[in-house]
Amino acid sequence: MMGRQATKRELFVSISLEEYVPEDHLLRAVDRYLDLSEFRLCLADSYSHTGRPSIDPELMARMLIIGYSYGIRSERRLCEEVSMNLAYRWFCRLGLKDKVPDHSSFSKNRHGRFRDHDAFRQLFDSVLRRCMAEGLVQGEGFATDASMIKADAQRQRSRPGDAGIDWGDPAQASRPVREYLTALEQANPVPPTPKRISLTDPAATWTAAAGPAIFAYCTNYLIDLKAGMIVDVEASAVNKTAEVEATKTMIDRVEEKFAIKPRRLVGDTNYGVAAMLGWLVNEKSIAPHVPVWDKSEHHDGTFSRADFIFDAENNRYVCPAGKHLKPAQRSQQKNPFRYRASQYDCQLCELKPKCCPNMVIRKIDRSPQEPARDVARAIGKTDAYRQSRRERKKVEMLFAHLKRILKLGQLRLRGPSGAHDEFLLAATAQNLRRMAKSCFYKYQI
């Protein structure tokens, strides 16, 4: 016999949210490791001791963590989801009859007290300290990389960089424009003129690095190689120089805050420039497990710089024919690290067609950071370097997770401060998810 569901509308129902959240739910594991007491203490000075009670900042932080953990990009939709989802209500410490904050509360607090106190950086640091307490951060090896994230700026609302844009009264301009103009005033030296500038987010970089040109920012990750935990994150412009400077900032900040300095740093060729290698080897004493950025290799059958032996004791190069290349005298002030062969030696040399067929003499430029580059080249021949290259995939996996699972393929907030907030919250959510999945079952009975 076909059954029929009997609809009973009970006027009074007594339930506990604890019973409706599964024991293996991700938010149960995240809740175990999330402590927002420091977050509340960080914001205490920005609240008055009298007046009507405000929305609990801990509640807003928990809702934001839900949004970034589950890829809920809209704060309007986040409020709706928390209102309807029992697990979300349980995680936010809300009862069935408790009211969910309005979406406008997030914008008001983000542009105000959250940003003034750098509260999201404090939240990220507190989660990282818990990761360290759980033994997920070893500090022996770090990996770094950058990934491009599309900005909330369209091509139609842009102008050529040399168009002479009149931004009007800075006091009446939007927040991203004010941030851009302030950064220009403080920049030394003045940055080069970009090809195009967005009128809605002028600090965003116009780039065609990943296909059709877009406005974008870069999120820079510094991760610990033991469990792939993110130890620092930094927003930057989309160019190699900015990415290298962001990595330096992150390494210094981690050392200052947590007294952790890795023995090795793993990165791709973007971090193999001479200045970066010199900074790692000479100033930080960190082994660079990084491919050297080297343009001296010849592919036309002529001798490359590697075919010449450097005699450090006599400060000269020895060519394959046994002749010497000495520091140039006339151009010493312009280029003190250029070495030149004797014209007499080159003209009579049988190897000239393979050495410098289109030049009168052979010249070699030597970087002042060449000893550090030699250190990186020597490391590149070891088994430890090959292991580091395999471990570097962990940071690539985090970027894939960021864009595919957390759905951070495009920013919602504008300006460097908006990118800063979004990248910090996303990295915090990633650390919480990874820590929860790594440690939760260890504590289950």
Side-chain angles (χ1 to χ4, degrees), residues 44-71:
D45 294 340
S46 61
Y47 288 92
S48 173
H49 298 288
T50 60
R52 187 180 65 178
S54 69
I55 298 174
D56 189 348
E58 182 176 339
L59 169 59
M60 287 189 284
R62 287 180 174 271
M63 290 180 65
L64 287 172
I65 288 172
I66 289 175
Y68 280 87
S69 296
Y70 288 94

Side-chain angles (χ1 to χ4, degrees), residues 384-399:
Y385 175 82
R386 286 186 281 273
Q387 175 63 24
S388 295
R389 303 309 298 166
R390 291 190 288 268
E391 292 177 327
R392 197 182 71 84
K393 296 178 181 178
K394 294 180 179 180
V395 68
E396 299 288 353
M397 293 171 59
L398 283 169
F399 288 140

Side-chain angles (χ1 to χ4, degrees), residues 340-344 346-347 352 356 359-363:
R340 297 162 56 99
S342 166
Q343 184 174 351
Y344 178 79
C346 282
Q347 292 299 325
K352 188 177 187 303
C356 51
M359 295 185 295
V360 178
I361 60 174
R362 181 61 187 256
K363 304 174 186 178

Side-chain angles (χ1 to χ4, degrees), residues 356-422:
C356 51
N358 301 322
M359 295 185 295
V360 178
I361 60 174
R362 181 61 187 256
K363 304 174 186 178
I364 293 180
D365 290 336
R366 179 177 174 84
S367 168
Q369 305 297 343
E370 200 65 30
R373 287 157 58 92
D374 290 338
V375 170
R377 291 188 184 100
I379 292 175
K381 301 176 182 178
T382 62
D383 293 336
Y385 175 82
R386 286 186 281 273
Q387 175 63 24
S388 295
R389 303 309 298 166
R390 291 190 288 268
E391 292 177 327
R392 197 182 71 84
K393 296 178 181 178
K394 294 180 179 180
V395 68
E396 299 288 353
M397 293 171 59
L398 283 169
F399 288 140
H401 180 267
L402 177 72
K403 295 179 179 181
R404 293 180 178 271
I405 306 302
L406 304 191
K407 297 180 173 59
L408 191 61
Q410 179 174 349
L411 296 174
R412 287 190 308 105
L413 308 181
R414 294 171 178 170
S417 59
H420 170 83
D421 291 348
E422 288 222 61

Side-chain angles (χ1 to χ4, degrees), residues 303 307-310 316-325 341 345-346 349 351 355 362 364:
F303 293 139
D307 297 316
F308 293 75
I309 301 173
F310 183 69
R316 63 188 183 185
Y317 274 97
V318 181
C319 75
K323 304 300 181 180
H324 299 148
L325 285 75
D345 291 338
C346 282
C349 183
L351 299 178
C355 182
R362 181 61 187 256
I364 293 180

